Amino acid sequence: MKKTYLALLNGILFFAGPMLGAPVPGNEHAANDSPGTESARPLNASAMAAAVAAAKGDALLEALLTELSRSYTHLKMDQVQAPYYIEYRVNDVDDYTAEAAYGALEQSQRVHVRILRVVVRIGDYKQDSYFSQGVGETNILPLDNDPIALRHQIWTATDEAYKSAGEAFAEKQAALKQFSSDPSAVDDFAKEPAVIALDPAVTLKFDQKEWKKTLEDVTELYKQYPEVQSSTASARFTGVNEYFVNSEGTVTRDGRATYSVQFNTAAQAADGMRVTRNPGWMVARAEELPSHDALMSDAKKTLETVVALRNAPIVEEEYRGPVLFAPDAADDIVASLIGQNVIGRKPQLGRPNRTTGSFASSYKTRVLPNFLSVVDDPTLKEFQGKSTVGSYDVDSEGVKAQRVTVIDNGTLTNYLVGRQPIRDFTVSNGHGRAAPGVFPAPGVGVLVVKSTDAQSPEALRQRALQIVADQGLPYAYRVDTLGPGNTPRLLYRVYAKDGHEELVRGAVFSELDVRAMRSDLIAAGDDPLVSNRSGGAPTTIISPSLLFGELEVKRADTSKDKLPEYPAPPLVASTSAKQNKGSD
């Protein structure tokens, strides 16, 4: 199991590429200098006293603080500046995964791992070494709370991070010489007050045996639907206790748990087109997951829609008119077209932009209709009785979570930022987020869309039908769920004549973008839905139904695979097979 997480960590390092860098050979820092040498630079005494007092009784925190003090006091190489800032972040991860297919369990494993990330910065807040390989080092820590073993791993990672910081600082200064000096340059790192916040550690609570049985039962339902080609289900339950200490005196422990279940099924239409469904459930409290019977009922409905999709007609070549997105589909649109664009990412060296993304130059301009506002509030633990996995008390950079209005009555008024400043945003607003072992970046917590003129779903439906009637169109479109790339999974024609609905397949939206959000979005519902999402750092999107006055729906230009050359195995096992299974 440990190998599994080591492989995961290697994957993190690979995808981060040169940002993480490779360890530098050698061992040259003066960590073993005696306290009386000239390299000794004590940390702020009052901050450290408070930090040590807060950590009392937690072996991991005590080891982190001991090495933090020792490294900050003595870390110095010849011809390299001493660090002005050091941070340690540890993610103590308890992770359970299980998967079943066609009524049989395929895997079940539980992994416990501690992932350390060390950042050493040289220079100062205005210009420092956080560049290229200087963004930190990652390592695996022991689990048994042996203080010497813990401190040794922390020490070696700190040594490597310091050497990498020295090389990165020299590389960065050389790179900056290619550009004209900027009189209004943005600092590299934002100063933040020390925070001491130790929440209780979280633990996973679930019945492993019961969930194995549930996954098997759910996937065995395929036997009732011979048209279905695949049926799998998975569960992933994760508890993460994040520890953070830095040389400014911040000490935090923030725990969170996520429980997710997903059901995947697919089939092929007679023309070879593949149709799929993959509904998921994700919550922060185990008791909110659907029961065995509720999950069985939802899975049956999913299988029935796959069979219906298989037999549904293909959309016409082109449609331009109103499209109503149900909350489940609207959450996907908000996540991709708003959530990804309100993040304040610092541009590359020499670039004058404020940030990146579609809203990079939209500060203080209108990006949505004026009846909509968007707030990111990671302090929101639940919404209308449902837990939010994107909530947290302190972010991955040791800054307290903050509620931020990013879009106010249609106008972009803020970006979500961490401790890496951008123009006009010189301090963090508590949105530095990170996966275990990965450098932090600004990100969404709990993103909520609000309307000053919310209407009922039926009122939105009638408005869409009135538009098509006025335009002489036979039907409008309603979208229940979306797939990758915001392609419709469950798409219905809603006929103007009598209001009946018809499921169709094979469609794409050709103009669903930020311009459409600004100009074609005409109404929002009063039916917000909590959509909890996995990822390096879990997020929550909460959006109501959204009605676009005009969107283009086109037939997808997708290849149709060949159908299987011979039938699937029989759905009823032979007598001998049943006897063999019973003897196991």
Side-chain angles (χ1 to χ4, degrees), residues 114-239:
R114 283 175 173 168
I115 305 174
L116 166 71
R117 183 162 182 82
V118 178
V119 175
V120 175
R121 292 175 180 259
I122 64 174
D124 54 32
Y125 287 93
K126 182 171 288 293
Q127 186 182 117
D128 68 15
S129 57
Y130 198 77
F131 175 76
S132 185
Q133 73 267 35
V135 298
E137 295 290 335
T138 302
N139 211 332
I140 300 293
L141 287 183
L143 297 174
D144 60 5
N145 288 335
D146 182 314
I148 300 303
L150 286 168
R151 288 179 57 190
H152 197 90
Q153 288 288 75
I154 297 165
W155 165 67
T156 57
T158 306
D159 179 70
E160 292 170 354
Y162 178 50
K163 293 170 185 174
S164 296
E167 293 189 3
F169 196 43
E171 182 184 347
K172 182 176 183 178
Q173 289 177 316
L176 285 170
K177 292 179 180 178
Q178 304 173 41
F179 310 107
S180 301
S181 61
D182 185 354
S184 58
V186 177
D187 289 355
D188 282 347
F189 198 44
K191 292 183 179 180
E192 296 293 338
V195 174
I196 296 180
L198 297 180
D199 289 342
V202 301
T203 56
L204 293 179
K205 299 176 182 179
F206 66 98
D207 187 327
Q208 187 169 317
K209 182 178 179 181
E210 179 62 28
W211 273 104
K212 289 179 183 178
K213 177 70 165 53
T214 296
L215 296 179
E216 290 175 340
D217 291 349
V218 165
T219 57
E220 194 170 25
L221 288 171
Y222 84 97
K223 293 179 179 179
Q224 302 175 25
Y225 302 88
E227 303 95 334
V228 170
Q229 292 180 338
S230 68
S231 175
T232 64
S234 61
R236 184 169 190 180
F237 307 147
T238 306

Side-chain angles (χ1 to χ4, degrees), residues 54 60 68 101 263 272 294 311-312 352 369 403 428 468:
L60 175 55
L68 177 67
F263 180 55
N311 299 317
R403 182 183 187 275
S428 171
V468 296

